């Protein structure tokens, strides 16, 4: 089964068994600001929201996975533009784009997941260049999933089914790679998210190992934190990861339907969210981004929307797990998620960028 199938089945089972996880008490609280999006293919609609990024001006870019496009919004969620269509033969066509990264100069890097490549655009959506093919050699990919750009312009990509991280210069020239399949330091089990901190550290959401790993920019292991569970600092399939200008790390805890925040050493700070479809609740949180003002943006794969939060700075009590919230999401995830997952099982890769 591919990455999408595994995650959808896992989320469906979690929704059928977990009655919601409340926000952990902490020294700070994040308040819902706004949300936008619905299921569809029109402007501002989504079909599988995945990665998300904020640029220096506060504009928001979303990888609209199953619509095979990227959408751009202002910080309030007003639609600006979209680009991309389904395909594999030319630049500007995608087969399930899963993440976006933006340089300080406004260049937009997009992970073209099923086409096993990275595409680069200007901030108006004009295609510039691409690199990558299907394979295991340097500069090749097997389902690249997430991307991050550090301050000097170097690019990091999670090479999902090759169980490694690859580093390139801004033009796509291979620099180095690290990782292999496993549970040890520097090993991965289908790692999804990646982010760079202001000090050059590289954070990886090691999804099926239910942990975060931290490296320096040469791939040297520094530390790791997390294990499977629902307590503070534990995860059930961490997917997206972002770092803010202060070095704090935010993680979308997919199966627990919440966001967790840590300092740069992995010390738990706070968490918010539980299963549901209302404001501040989540249906499969996937991508996450922090803007320069400290606002946090979260995509929800199943709910097909983006939520925006701001830090209030006020402590709040732990929320009581809500049976109503969990029940409200069962029709959305339990039925639809399982249905989509079963359909996805029928898809099998037959070669680079081609599926049947």
């Amino acid at each position: 089964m591919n990455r999408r199938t595994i995650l959808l089945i896992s989320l469906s089972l979690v929704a059928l068994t977990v009655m919601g996880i409340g926000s952990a008490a902490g020294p700070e609280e994040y308040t819902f600001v706004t949300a936008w999006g619905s299921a569809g293919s029109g402007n501002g609609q989504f079909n599988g929201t995945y990665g998300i990024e904020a640029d220096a001006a506060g504009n928001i870019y979303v990888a609209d996975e199953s619509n095979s496009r990227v959408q751009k919004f202002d910080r309030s969620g007003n639609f600006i533009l979209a680009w991309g269509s389904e395909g594999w033969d030319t630049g500007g066509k995608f087969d399930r784009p899963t993440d976006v990264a933006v340089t300080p100069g406004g260049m937009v890097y997009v992970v073209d997941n099923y086409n096993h490549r990275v595409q680069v655009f200007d901030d108006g959506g004009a295609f510039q260049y691409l690199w990558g093919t299907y394979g295991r050699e340097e500069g090749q990919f097997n389902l690249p999933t997430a991307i991050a750009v550090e301050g000097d312009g170097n690019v990091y990509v999670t090479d999902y089914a090759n169980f490694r991280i690859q580093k390139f210069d801004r033009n796509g020239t291979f620099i180095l790679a690290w990782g292999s399949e496993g549970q040890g330091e520097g090993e991965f089990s289908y790692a999804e998210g990646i982010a760079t901190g202001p000090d050059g550290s590289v954070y990886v959401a090691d999804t099926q190992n239910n942990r975060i790993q931290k490296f320096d920019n040469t791939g040297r292991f520094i530390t790791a934190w997390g294990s499977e569970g629902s307590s503070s600092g534990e995860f059930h399939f961490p997917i997206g990861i972002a770092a803010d200008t202060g070095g704090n790390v935010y993680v979308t805890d997919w199966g627990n339907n919440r966001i967790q925040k840590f300092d740069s050493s992995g010390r738990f700070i706070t968490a918010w969210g539980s299963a549901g479809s209302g404001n501040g609740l989540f249906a499969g949180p996937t991508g996450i981004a922090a803007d320069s003002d400290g606002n946090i943006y979260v995509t929800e794969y199943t709910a097909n929307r983006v939520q925006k939060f701001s830090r209030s700075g006020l402590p709040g009590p732990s929320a009581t797990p809500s049976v109503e919230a969990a029940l409200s999401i069962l029709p959305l995830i339990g039925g639809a998620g399982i249905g989509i997952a079963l359909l996805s099982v029928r898809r099998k890769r037959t070669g680079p960028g081609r599926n049947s």
Side-chain angles (χ1 to χ4, degrees):
M1 289 186 287
N2 60 29
R3 168 190 53 80
R4 187 167 181 259
T5 302
I6 293 169
L7 293 178
L8 282 167
I9 291 174
S10 300
L11 179 58
S12 303
L13 294 175
V14 169
L16 292 170
T17 57
V18 178
M19 292 293 101
I21 296 169
S23 300
E28 57 188 48
E29 187 175 84
Y30 280 79
T31 303
F32 171 83
V33 176
T34 190
W36 69 89
S38 60
S41 58
N43 294 339
Q45 294 183 317
F46 303 105
N47 185 5
T49 50
Y50 225 92
I52 188 168
E53 179 70 296
D55 68 16
N59 297 309
I60 306 301
Y61 301 78
V62 179
D64 189 4
E65 187 206 47
S66 296
N67 280 328
S68 290
R69 65 180 179 180
V70 174
Q71 294 196 66
K72 180 179 179 179
F73 304 87
D74 68 17
R75 67 181 68 216
S76 298
N78 297 306
F79 175 82
I80 298 175
L81 62 88
W83 71 87
S85 59
E86 187 172 2
W88 58 274
D89 53 335
T90 62
K93 291 187 177 182
F94 302 109
D95 193 351
R96 300 186 183 277
T98 49
D99 201 17
V100 183
V102 186
T103 70
M107 299 302 290
V108 182
Y109 292 75
V110 183
V111 175
D112 191 3
N113 180 257
Y114 273 27
N115 282 332
H116 312 287
R117 63 187 181 185
V118 173
Q119 297 195 56
V120 185
F121 304 84
D122 67 18
D123 59 5
F127 173 76
Q128 304 297 305
Y129 54 94
L130 60 79
W131 75 87
T133 57
Y134 176 76
R136 301 176 62 181
E137 303 301 320
E138 295 177 353
Q140 294 184 319
F141 301 106
N142 188 354
L143 298 175
T145 305
I147 191 165
V149 180
E150 65 181 355
D152 62 3
N154 290 322
V155 180
Y156 300 85
V157 181
T158 56
D159 194 359
Y160 179 84
N162 280 329
F163 305 101
R164 65 182 179 182
I165 307 301
Q166 293 198 67
K167 179 179 180 178
F168 304 87
D169 70 14
R170 68 186 67 208
N171 299 312
T173 301
F174 176 84
I175 297 175
L176 61 89
W178 72 89
S180 59
E181 186 175 9
Q183 299 177 331
E185 295 178 355
E187 296 178 332
F188 304 106
S189 181
Y190 298 104
E192 290 247 10
I194 194 165
T196 57
D199 63 350
S201 297
V202 179
Y203 300 91
V204 179
D206 189 4
T207 304
Q208 293 192 39
N209 279 328
N210 288 298
R211 64 181 180 182
I212 305 302
Q213 294 198 64
K214 179 181 179 179
F215 304 88
D216 68 15
N217 61 8
T218 68
R220 182 181 65 86
F221 175 83
I222 297 175
T223 190
W225 67 89
S227 58
E228 185 173 5
S230 58
S231 298
S232 298
E234 296 179 333
F235 303 103
H236 194 124
F237 292 157
I239 301 292
I241 190 166
D244 64 20
T245 56
N248 298 303
V249 178
Y250 304 80
V251 181
T252 56
D253 191 0
W254 167 285
N256 286 325
N257 284 295
R258 64 181 178 181
I259 308 303
Q260 295 198 67
K261 179 180 179 179
F262 305 87
D263 68 15
S264 60
S265 299
R267 183 182 65 87
F268 175 82
I269 296 176
T270 193
W272 72 94
S274 59
S277 57
N279 296 337
L281 303 177
F282 297 110
T286 311
I288 191 163
D291 69 16
S292 58
D293 294 327
N295 298 306
I296 303 300
Y297 301 82
V298 180
T299 59
E300 294 171 80
Y301 188 86
T302 307
N304 287 299
R305 67 174 177 176
V306 176
Q307 292 196 67
K308 178 181 179 179
F309 301 88
S310 66
R311 178 182 169 185
S312 66
L314 300 175
S318 298
T320 301
S322 171
V323 173
E324 291 78 11
L327 290 176
S328 72
I329 202 65
L330 289 179
L332 178 63
I333 302 177
I338 290 175
I340 294 171
L342 291 175
L343 287 173
S344 297
V345 171
R346 300 176 59 187
R347 296 174 61 91
K348 181 178 180 182
R349 181 174 311 285
T350 57
R354 306 301 294 273
N355 299 277
S356 60

